[in-house]
Every structure is written in structure tokens, then in C-alpha cells.
Amino acid sequence: MKNTLPLEYGKYYHIYNRGINSCTLFKENSNYQHFLKLYDKHIEPIAETYAWCLMKNHFHFLVKSDEEIQTEKKISPSQSFSNLFNAYTKAFNKSYNRHGALFERPFRRKEINHDNYVQNVIVYIHNNPVHHNICNHPLEYPWSSYITCVSNKPTKLKRKEILEIFSGSENFRHTHQLDLNES
């Protein structure tokens, strides 16, 4: 099955998943914040992040696994994501007095192997809250990387590379707006 293949180093992946039976993953702002903190701990060391969006019952990431890590530390990207999901599940279950799985298994991943497709996935991820009728523009949604892409604040996100993919910030904004207009 495609979704059980291990993540390979040096490749782009669209990583996504949802709560088991579409259950809520993020009940309050502190849940989103904690998930991102755990993401930094488990994923930042093994992958570069190009886009992300956390929704109430699902999430999306576009990452490129770091080839140098494989040689130096032999860390498996698939295991790192599993560690993230397990750590978040334990914290969530403890906070809300629940038990059992929180995420569907296995988490979904799709290799992105064309430059044009990388751009499309970034737009798709950022516009996800709009397509789910949560807001009218990705700038209004606080739990995605869109705001980081259009700001000048320091970030671990690969903002420079993202804007290069779109040939600049003006085209980045324009491409996102075109997608919204076509919806």
C-alpha cells in the first residue's frame, strides 16, 4: 500500500492525517501550540518544512527530508513522525481524560516529485481553511504557514525557497488568490 512506504531522504512529501473517525485533534489554542512544539522537537531535526496547516480534525505538511541526517544520525523520517503523533496523543489523552488512538494509521504521505506540483501543494495546504469554509482568505487563519510566508519575522520555515518556487512574494500571493477565485 502506498501510504505505508517509508519516507526517503532528499524527497518532498505531502504528509497529512486526520483524527480517528474524524475526531477533533485540536480543541483549543494550546493544543495547536503544543503540537507545533512537538513538531519542532521531532520533525525539525530530520526535515525542512515548506508548508503546514493544522485544522480542527486534520493537518497537512509539505516537507523535504534532510539527506545529511541519514548519514550522520540514521534517524528514520517515518519513525520521527510516529514519535510526534505518539507524543501528542499521550498529551491530548491526558489533558482530556481519554485513552486510545487519536490519529488514523498509517499516516498518509504522498511523494511530490515535480516542481509545479510542489507549488500546487503549498497553495492547497494554505487554502485548506478557506475550502473548509473556516475563513475567506488564508491570511485570516492563524494555524498555517501562510502568514509566515508573507511576513519578515524569523522562521525555521523555508520561506526564501518557497518564495523562489513562486518567483517572489507578489506571485505567491497572486497564485493563492487565483486558487480561491477558481473555487
Side-chain angles (χ1 to χ4, degrees), residues 27-43:
K27 292 186 177 199
E28 50 194 287
N29 286 345
S30 62
N31 298 145
Y32 293 97
Q33 293 162 347
H34 187 64
F35 187 88
L36 291 173
K37 181 180 169 188
L38 290 171
Y39 181 89
D40 280 348
K41 177 182 178 181
H42 293 283
I43 307 306

Side-chain angles (χ1 to χ4, degrees), residues 86-170:
N86 288 334
Y88 183 75
T89 298
K90 285 179 186 177
F92 189 89
N93 284 352
K94 185 177 180 181
S95 291
Y96 297 103
N97 197 26
R98 71 179 296 278
H99 62 278
L102 182 61
F103 296 97
E104 288 190 351
R105 291 189 183 136
F107 68 92
R108 297 185 176 123
R109 76 279 323 248
K110 185 171 185 177
E111 183 182 343
I112 309 302
N113 50 17
H114 298 291
D115 288 344
N116 235 12
Y117 197 33
V118 169
Q119 189 180 80
N120 292 342
V121 171
I122 291 171
V123 171
Y124 172 79
I125 289 172
H126 288 153
N127 282 340
N128 210 259
V130 178
H131 295 306
H132 285 279
N133 298 313
I134 294 170
C135 59
N136 293 317
H137 192 279
L139 197 54
E140 300 167 5
Y141 191 72
W143 302 110
S144 89
S145 55
Y146 182 87
I147 295 169
T148 303
C149 289
V150 297
S151 80
N152 291 321
K153 293 181 181 178
T155 180
K156 294 177 184 176
L157 188 76
K158 293 298 182 184
R159 178 174 45 221
K160 180 182 173 205
E161 291 84 347
I162 295 164
L163 295 179
E164 286 173 2
I165 290 168
F166 286 88
S167 302
S169 62
E170 190 174 312

